[in-house]
Every structure is written in C-alpha cells, then in structure tokens.
Amino acid sequence: MIGRYGNRIAKGKFSLNGKEYHLAQNNGINSLHGGLGGFHGVFWKITPKDNSLRMTYRSADGEEGYPGNLDVAVTYTLTDKKRIGD
C-alpha cells in the first residue's frame, strides 16, 4: 500500500493554510508514495473475519512530515469469483 499520498510531491514540500510542510524525500528531491516510511513499511492492526481481512493503521501527526492524524482502514475479501463482475 502507498500512503499518505500516491504519486510525487515536488521537492518534498507543500503548503496548507499558509504553513509549509517538509516531507521525507525518497525520489531524488521529491517525496514518492508517502516517503521513506510510507504505508508499505508500517505495522498494521489485522483483524480476520470469515473470508475477509481488515487492516487498520493510524498515521500520527508529523509522520513523514504530514500534518494531522489520519486513520486508515482497508478490507480484503476473498470470494469464489475469478474477478469482479463474474
């Protein structure tokens, strides 16, 4: 998973409400897919249920330079279908 942001943030910085934030730079001078410790490299809380797996994570204020807390939840469900729409 990528996050907090999918794609590049130029020069690893952005402004929000008049304040400039500096992010981890992991793509030259840019920040890519959430930085060095994006969501792909953190420990998620995992809750299995039947044929599903729910993953939750709290990205704390200041993590990788981003402001504010962010609560994320992802659910994966296994089915007998080969693909969506079958």
Side-chain angles (χ1 to χ4, degrees), residues 11-83:
K11 299 180 183 175
K13 62 183 177 180
F14 69 96
S15 294
L16 179 65
N17 296 328
K19 182 176 178 183
E20 187 168 87
Y21 293 90
H22 296 270
L23 309 174
Q25 296 170 322
N26 62 328
N27 180 247
I29 63 170
N30 303 310
S31 180
L32 178 65
H33 300 324
L36 297 167
F39 291 171
H40 63 282
V42 298
F43 289 99
W44 293 71
K45 179 182 176 186
I46 299 173
T47 307
K49 184 178 179 184
D50 300 324
N51 61 334
S52 295
L53 184 71
R54 181 174 170 83
M55 300 169 51
T56 57
Y57 178 70
R58 169 168 271 202
S59 179
D61 179 34
E63 183 176 298
E64 293 294 310
Y66 289 94
N69 293 325
L70 177 66
D71 292 316
V72 182
V74 178
T75 301
Y76 288 97
T77 302
L78 298 177
T79 68
D80 292 333
K81 294 180 181 181
K82 293 181 182 178
R83 58 188 158 156

